[in-house]
């Protein structure tokens, strides 16, 4: 079922195989009818993750990129919407030659075609396929049927891991009934798991494992305890201890080609920080997102990027979520006083913008380290225009007409928008100003980062702003990519989303510099 940690389990399995020297890729299947995650609410489904090709996908793809240190494309996220769209278009072109088009075989064939085509690209040796949803859901039926067919067609090269839940009763007993029932349900569809990964609070007791093995027809070594971990990066090590990769490799006749230890070292480093820093993330939090879990999912990659920077620098960032609307009605001097740094993340819509700008103003004038991402850069520009240039009512045209449209839609540039209907999506290059903060933190004058936005800095205001100290140190032609203030310990804002390319062991340069600046401030 959703929220169980299938994605992390799959990503961890991939990492373990990668540690043994294999080239691993991943596919996420989302049985919903949406074509992609582009129009889905981050507060309901978690953040919309953006890939290099501009694909707007489920956040699990971000976990795959981070755990496997790969760059995926939109083809790695298969949805019911994509599958049906292809089949219906084919039908309209007459390619089914007058046959009746049906779920079996036409939809299932298209699912298998997509899985095979991704698996075979670029020398991959192992492909993880995560089937989202719950066994028994109507939506996931065609996908599970396609898996059943694949097992026959690719006999011996398929391994099924079933992720289940073993809840604990009040008196600490681990219950196996839900696992038994879902395996039974799977078998009804013709699928017998090769391994059962059991999510549970505490490590599975030997007798619980025995019971699951017995009732579900798998050897006891194939029952893996996936108990709660303090951090998702510990999960691969936990699963290794459980003997997961040894069993899986034996069953798949794979030999270890390598013995990589970098993940172990990463976790060791993560678990022994030198200190911590307090960071405020000022965002628009809806009533339904009041719980930290939802918030963390809506800004998952930012949290991860902060973590990567924390591991590298030795200073673990502790995040507080500050509601921009509350900030607008409250006093920033009080609400933001304790923090070593302020981060304004990406966002859409006018709610909370005034509060976010109060946070920017506070960071700018009090010289508190500031990292602005996408919307966080646009608002930094608006704040600067209003409060430094004195342009009363300056704003982004995202919120209607204004006398001073410092953020606006630009006339379409040739070839630029071809990938998304209206948004600038995916990888774009930026050229950095020599000697700037941006240049220093990236250690290069040419970078590539991921984008997801519609509005741009209006070029007609650039000279005036630079004159007053807001420097556009990263550019892509007429498009402003980075804004920074030099007379400030750390004020860095980007139109792109650096968090999407951050990796454990290879933190995003702006995030690393931000955490270091926070640590310096704290030391002072
Ligand atoms: N709403 C802004 C735009 O569309 C910023 C988007 C974002 O922060 N991802 O340009």
């Amino acid at each position: 079922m959703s929220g169980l940690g299938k994605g992390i389990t799959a990503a961890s399995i991939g990492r373990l195989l990668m540690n043994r020297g294999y080239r691993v890729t991943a596919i996420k299947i989302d049985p919903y009818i949406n074509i992609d995650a582009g129009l889905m609410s981050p507060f309901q489904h978690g953040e919309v993750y953006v890939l290099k090709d501009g694909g707007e996908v489920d956040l699990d793809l971000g976990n795959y990129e981070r755990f496997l240190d790969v760059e995926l494309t939109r083809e790695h996220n298969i949805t019911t919407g994509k599958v049906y769209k292809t089949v219906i278009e084919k039908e309209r072109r007459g390619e089914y030659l007058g046959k009746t088009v049906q779920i079996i075989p036409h939809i299932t064939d298209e699912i298998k075609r997509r899985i095979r085509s991704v698996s075979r690209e670029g020398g991959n040796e192992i492909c993880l396929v995560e089937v989202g949803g719950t066994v028994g859901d109507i939506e996931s039926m065609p996908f599970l049927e396609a898996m059943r067919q694949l097992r026959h067609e690719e006999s011996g090269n398929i391994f099924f891991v079933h992720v289940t839940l073993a809840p604990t009763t009040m008196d600490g007993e681990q219950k196996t009934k839900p696992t038994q029932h879902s395996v039974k349900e799977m078998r009804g569809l013709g699928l017998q798991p090769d391994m059962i990964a059991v999510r549970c609070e505490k490590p599975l007791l030997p007798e619980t494992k025995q019971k699951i093995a017995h009732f579900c027809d798998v050897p006891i070594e194939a029952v893996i305890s996936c108990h709660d971990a303090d951090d998702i990066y510990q999960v691969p090590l936990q699963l290794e201890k459980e003997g997961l990769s040894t069993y899986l490799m034996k069953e798949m006749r794979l030999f270890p080609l390598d013995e990589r230890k970098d993940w172990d070292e990463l976790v060791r480093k993560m678990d022994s920080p030198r200190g911590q820093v307090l960071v405020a993330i000022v965002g628009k939090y809806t009533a339904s997102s009041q719980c930290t879990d939802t918030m963390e999912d809506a800004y998952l990659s930012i949290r991860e990027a902060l973590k990567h920077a924390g591991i590298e620098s030795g200073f673990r960032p502790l995040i507080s979520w500050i509601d921009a609307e509350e900030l607008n009605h409250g006093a920033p001097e009080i609400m933001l006083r304790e923090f070593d740094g302020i981060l304004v993340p990406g966002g859409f819509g006018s709610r909370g913008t005034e509060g976010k700008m109060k946070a920017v103003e506070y960071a700018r004038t009090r010289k508190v380290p500031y990292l602005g991402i996408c919307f966080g850069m646009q608002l930094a520009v608006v704040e600067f225009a209003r409060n430094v240039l004195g342009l009363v009512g300056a704003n982004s045209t995202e919120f209607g007409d204004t006398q001073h449209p410092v953020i606006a839609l630009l006339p379409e540039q040739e070839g630029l928008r071809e990938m998304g209907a209206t948004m600038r999506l995916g990888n774009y290059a930026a050229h950095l100003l020599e000697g700037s903060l941006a240049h220093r933190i990236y250690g290069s004058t040419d970078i590539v980062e991921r984008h997801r936005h519609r509005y741009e800095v209006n070029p007609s205001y650039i000279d005036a702003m630079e004159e007053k100290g807001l420097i556009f140190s990263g550019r892509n032609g007429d498009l402003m990519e980075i804004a920074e203030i030099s007379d400030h310990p750390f004020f860095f804002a980007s139109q792109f989303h650096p968090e999407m390319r951050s990796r454990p062991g290879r933190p995003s340069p702006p995030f690393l510099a931000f955490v270091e600046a926070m640590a310096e401030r704290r030391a002072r």
Side-chain angles (χ1 to χ4, degrees):
M1 76 192 186
S2 70
L4 209 53
K6 271 197 298 275
I8 298 299
T9 308
S12 300
I13 293 174
R15 183 68 207 197
L16 292 182
L17 294 169
M18 187 184 153
N19 288 351
R20 300 293 178 93
Y22 284 91
R23 294 184 60 167
V24 184
T25 190
I27 296 174
K28 170 79 195 285
I29 292 178
D30 284 309
Y32 45 64
I33 293 172
N34 308 55
I35 297 283
D36 61 27
L39 301 173
M40 297 173 93
S41 160
F43 295 107
Q44 261 180 50
H45 299 272
E47 85 179 348
V48 179
Y49 190 75
V50 185
L51 301 169
K52 65 175 176 185
D53 67 349
E56 298 173 280
V57 295
D58 182 83
L59 56 75
D60 272 325
L61 279 281
N63 284 324
Y64 289 134
E65 288 204 334
R66 288 184 284 265
F67 275 69
L68 305 176
D69 198 4
V70 288
E71 285 207 292
L72 306 175
T73 61
R74 50 160 58 86
E75 300 304 326
H76 290 251
N77 196 187
I78 303 177
T79 65
T80 297
K82 280 182 191 165
V83 171
Y84 273 77
K85 188 163 182 268
T86 315
V87 170
I88 290 170
E89 282 168 2
K90 226 167 134 184
E91 188 275 334
R92 288 292 81 188
R93 288 195 301 269
E95 288 181 34
Y96 292 109
L97 308 174
K99 287 199 206 90
T100 310
V101 180
Q102 294 176 298
I103 294 182
I104 304 172
H106 302 102
I107 294 294
T108 48
D109 278 353
E110 174 59 17
I111 295 168
K112 289 183 292 177
R113 185 195 66 76
R114 283 175 175 266
I115 291 173
R116 288 195 170 102
S117 124
V118 169
S119 308
R120 284 171 186 158
E121 82 197 6
N124 291 317
E125 293 160 317
I126 295 166
C127 183
L128 306 161
V129 181
E130 179 191 350
V131 187
T134 309
V135 186
D137 280 355
I138 289 179
E139 282 89 346
S140 46
M141 290 296 184
F143 294 102
L144 293 174
E145 167 60 14
M147 297 301 138
R148 192 191 63 80
Q149 295 174 16
L150 264 187
R151 159 156 272 171
H152 289 285
E153 294 166 18
E154 307 282 345
S155 167
N157 289 328
I158 304 263
F159 191 88
F160 282 118
V161 182
H162 188 36
V163 183
T164 69
L165 173 71
T168 314
T169 58
M170 297 279 263
D171 42 11
E173 193 196 340
Q174 295 172 331
K175 304 300 287 181
T176 65
K177 270 284 182 277
T179 299
Q180 292 182 39
H181 276 279
S182 81
V183 170
K184 196 171 138 212
E185 193 83 19
M186 288 280 271
R187 283 170 156 176
L189 302 172
L191 293 164
Q192 164 67 35
D194 297 304
M195 176 181 275
I196 304 178
V198 187
R199 289 284 295 113
C200 43
E201 256 173 67
K202 298 269 160 52
L204 278 188
L205 299 169
E207 54 267 33
T208 318
K209 280 193 177 178
Q210 189 61 62
K211 211 165 164 187
I212 292 175
H214 183 72
F215 279 106
C216 303
D217 236 355
V218 294
I220 192 157
E221 312 93 84
V223 181
I224 302 291
S225 171
C226 296
H227 39 279
D228 291 352
D230 291 335
D231 191 281
I232 53 171
Y233 293 168
Q234 283 160 349
V235 177
L237 306 185
Q238 210 168 287
L239 297 184
E240 180 68 49
K241 259 201 215 128
E242 281 285 307
L244 185 146
S245 65
T246 312
Y247 181 79
L248 192 155
M249 289 178 66
K250 186 183 87 192
E251 289 300 297
M252 296 210 78
R253 310 169 314 280
L254 298 173
F255 300 95
L257 308 171
D258 197 356
E259 205 56 59
R260 288 179 61 163
K261 288 278 173 220
D262 38 339
W263 196 270
D264 302 62
E265 273 153 40
L266 179 96
V267 172
R268 213 170 303 129
K269 225 167 144 184
M270 178 177 78
D271 289 341
S272 48
R274 277 191 285 159
Q276 62 183 39
V277 290
L278 304 181
V279 52
I281 300 188
V282 182
K284 174 180 83 173
Y285 305 127
T286 59
S288 66
S289 72
Q290 284 311 318
C291 86
T292 314
D293 273 0
T294 336
M295 228 110 82
E296 295 204 338
D297 272 2
Y299 299 104
L300 183 67
S301 294
I302 290 182
R303 193 191 65 190
E304 294 299 302
L306 282 168
K307 195 201 287 177
H308 304 157
I311 296 171
E312 182 77 16
S313 66
F315 293 95
R316 177 183 286 169
L318 293 184
I319 300 173
S320 294
W321 309 93
I322 306 288
D323 183 357
E325 285 197 304
E326 266 176 47
L327 192 62
N328 194 29
H329 301 121
E333 305 71 45
I334 295 167
M335 291 178 69
L336 297 176
R337 189 174 45 201
E338 62 175 312
F339 297 104
D340 304 309
I342 293 167
L343 190 156
V344 175
F348 293 84
S350 65
R351 243 192 50 220
T353 51
E354 296 301 322
K356 289 179 190 174
M357 274 190 276
K358 272 194 171 180
V360 177
E361 183 181 7
Y362 176 85
R364 182 177 59 77
T365 55
R366 305 289 173 108
K367 306 241 188 271
V368 179
Y370 177 74
L371 183 62
I373 294 173
C374 204
F375 202 37
M377 162 166 161
Q378 297 178 354
L379 293 178
V381 169
V382 173
E383 191 276 329
F384 197 85
R386 287 185 190 175
N387 297 334
V388 181
L389 300 191
L391 301 177
V392 181
N395 215 335
S396 163
T397 55
E398 184 172 354
F399 314 120
D401 283 342
T402 155
Q403 224 185 320
H404 300 292
V406 290
I407 304 292
L409 287 178
L410 293 194
E412 291 209 345
Q413 310 221 342
E414 214 189 337
L416 200 63
R417 312 263 169 169
E418 74 217 348
M419 287 196 284
T422 56
M423 283 216 230
R424 188 146 76 105
L425 286 169
N427 272 7
Y428 284 92
H431 184 71
L432 310 186
L433 181 71
E434 208 123 352
S436 61
L437 171 67
H439 180 202
R440 261 201 321 283
I441 67 180
Y442 274 98
S444 158
T445 50
D446 290 282
I447 61 165
V448 171
E449 292 277 16
R450 297 195 191 162
H451 294 67
R452 181 172 187 255
H453 66 108
R454 221 169 249 124
Y455 296 83
E456 307 279 356
V457 176
N458 186 341
S460 4
Y461 292 90
I462 287 167
D463 289 347
M465 293 206 238
E466 291 208 319
E467 218 163 275
K468 293 277 186 205
L470 188 69
I471 308 298
F472 294 94
S473 56
R475 301 182 181 208
N476 175 340
D478 271 348
L479 306 176
M480 298 303 115
E481 296 282 6
I482 298 172
E484 60 178 70
I485 295 177
S486 38
D487 179 26
H488 191 286
F490 185 88
F491 193 100
F492 182 96
S494 67
Q495 189 58 80
F496 49 79
H497 290 267
E499 71 273 21
M500 308 264 178
R501 294 193 76 196
S502 189
R503 298 281 184 273
R506 206 148 36 74
S508 160
F511 277 86
L512 181 58
F514 179 52
V515 170
E516 283 168 349
M518 285 194 282
E520 246 171 66
R521 177 181 163 86
R522 193 163 187 82
R524 272 207 310 279

